[in-house]
Amino acid sequence: MSTSARPSPAATPPGGASRAPLTFDRSHTADLMSFLAASPSPYHAVANAAERLEKAGFRQVAETDAWDGTSGGKYVLRGGAIVAWHVPEGTAPHTPFRIVGAHTDSPNLRVKPLPDTGAHGWRQVAVEIYGGPLLNSWLDRDLGLAGRLTLRDGSTRLVNVDRPLLRVPQLAIHLDRSVSTEGLKLDKQRHLQPVWGLGDEVRDGDLIAFLEEETGLPAGEVAGWDLMVHSVEPPAYLGRDRELVAGPRMDNLLSVHAGTAALTAVAAAGGALPSIPVLAAFDHEENGSQSDTGADGPLLGSVLERSVFARGGSYEDRARAFAGTVCLSSDTGHAVHPNYAERHDPTHHPRAGGGPILKVNVNNRYATDGSGRAVWAAACEKAGVPFQSFVSNNSMPCGTTIGPITAARHGIKTVDIGVAILSMHSARELCAADDPFLLANALVAFLEG
């Protein structure tokens, strides 16, 4: 853990030129809560990030258009992914990048191609398990439905039914007494299909017809869909002193929000920078990142290369820029759990409220090495932010992130960091209310170089 003093609670925006000791008014956390509530799917998350970037003067560029070398803020949207960058005036083609990497997807239940099903007088929606959710956290919870509809002409429309629509009902204990002695056992196929009405007749097309009506589309207009359920319970402060936040999709919209706030703060400050600040938020991290919008796809490399070439650079300039580039892979990590402390490494106990974490794994499940640690430590020192170190218990398998993928695919030095939380992969996760603000400040300092 760094030796920086813990900031005292009271108020400043993320970043700031003075680098005085940080204080809090929780405005960043309140904004994060609004972002989480408004982003029930990766498509909503990138749309909300794009809206914030637009307000900060960024402009969208189409991948199918020719790019120019003008300065300023730009961004690319592709499905549930967004890459945004800010080029200061007079930036040379070989200027390296400073990237905050994150992901927009979270484990959940997603609607199947033939969604209309049911049995025994119940109408249900057929769902598939996405990623590795804590299945029990989706039981007996009021669920909405959100995602992307693709129309017959190929255009897309976001949809968000943000009210109690579905529910996965748990079996009463009277019908399974073994739950008390053997624990809950869920079959992913049989036990996770939510109910949404009554009726013996399964009518194909009902769910999509309902969503067409909800979005004001003509009947039969929807040709495809990418839909998922979400908890409609809003994010909330928790605890006697409201020092905790409970909410959905912190893994990893907390980092997407912090990265967006940091990039817009750095762009607004103006002036010369030694590197080009970038936000890269990918989809499909929770199932391996292998897609055209995932970190293992070509999106980030394509955007960075085109930025170099649009400013008149050569392949040599591209190679020089990539050689000097650093990426912070920002993703949530595990705070030590008070009820399961033995599952954590005995000498590394990241605490909620102790500042962001540096993730290390010598088998490259995380991309951090010693030189990367120095980059992160310098950013935290500059921002006046404390940080902690995380390493897994040797007897427990370690998760991974977009960090090693980014490092290997693009030859970019990458460092894994994030915020320590509890209940990771639950429908509702838990973090300290001040840690997102600390992360955002550290990201500002990193992007400033």
Side-chain angles (χ1 to χ4, degrees), residues 81-336:
I82 185 169
V83 180
W85 66 103
H86 175 76
V87 180
E89 286 281 356
T91 300
H94 63 269
T95 301
F97 301 91
R98 285 235 162 175
I99 305 165
V100 173
H103 67 88
T104 61
D105 59 321
S106 300
N108 57 17
L109 311 178
R110 302 205 172 186
V111 176
K112 289 183 176 180
L114 300 176
D116 300 292
T117 186
H120 305 290
W122 295 99
R123 297 174 65 193
Q124 294 176 276
V125 174
V127 296
E128 192 173 2
I129 310 303
Y130 178 83
L134 286 172
L135 298 178
N136 63 292
S137 71
W138 292 93
L139 301 178
D140 295 332
R141 192 179 291 278
D142 295 338
L143 303 173
L145 191 63
R148 178 179 66 174
L149 302 174
T150 301
L151 309 186
R152 291 188 177 280
D153 63 1
S155 63
T156 59
R157 181 79 61 88
L158 297 184
V159 60
N160 182 12
V161 184
D162 196 28
R163 65 177 187 273
L165 181 69
L166 309 103
R167 187 179 180 92
V168 182
Q170 190 168 188
L171 184 65
I173 192 170
H174 312 79
L175 302 178
D176 184 10
R177 298 287 184 181
S178 67
V179 168
S180 299
T181 56
E182 299 176 17
L184 179 65
K185 298 178 181 178
L186 295 172
D187 182 282
K188 293 180 179 180
Q189 178 61 42
R190 294 184 295 128
H191 299 152
L192 274 297
Q193 308 306 309
V195 300
W196 77 305
L198 299 174
D200 289 314
E201 183 184 357
V202 175
R203 296 185 294 269
D204 290 339
D206 268 7
L207 180 68
I208 300 307
F210 164 76
L211 294 176
E212 287 173 334
E213 184 177 347
E214 283 284 308
T215 52
L217 291 168
E221 186 65 21
V222 173
W225 50 89
D226 302 279
L227 299 168
M228 57 208 73
V229 306
H230 65 276
S231 171
V232 298
E233 184 181 1
Y237 287 109
L238 190 82
R240 183 192 65 183
D241 299 320
R242 294 163 58 87
E243 58 190 340
L244 301 170
V245 170
R249 300 176 293 282
M250 290 184 183
D251 179 13
N252 185 33
L253 295 188
L254 188 157
S255 294
V256 175
H257 175 264
T260 304
L263 179 60
T264 54
V266 171
L273 293 171
S275 52
I276 297 170
V278 179
L279 168 67
F282 302 101
D283 202 352
H284 303 129
E285 188 272 350
E286 297 292 355
N287 60 11
S289 295
Q290 292 186 323
S291 71
D292 68 324
T293 53
D296 204 18
L299 180 59
L300 177 61
S302 173
V303 168
L304 299 184
E305 287 180 346
R306 292 183 69 178
S307 174
V308 170
F309 299 150
R311 285 177 282 118
S314 62
Y315 183 82
E316 181 72 10
D317 291 314
R318 179 258 186 223
R320 293 174 65 187
F322 275 47
T325 292
V326 183
C327 174
L328 288 186
S329 164
S330 182
D331 203 346
T332 54
H334 303 293
V336 63

Side-chain angles (χ1 to χ4, degrees), residues 393-438:
N393 186 307
N394 287 340
S395 299
M396 303 291 292
C398 179
T400 190
T401 67
I402 66 166
I405 294 170
T406 302
R409 182 170 182 81
H410 305 293
I412 289 172
K413 176 177 289 297
T414 305
V415 188
D416 272 293
I417 56 98
V419 163
I421 69 171
L422 293 184
S423 305
M424 186 182 293
H425 286 199
S426 172
R428 283 178 74 81
E429 297 161 323
L430 185 70
C431 77
D434 291 336
D435 280 344
F437 177 84
L438 293 172

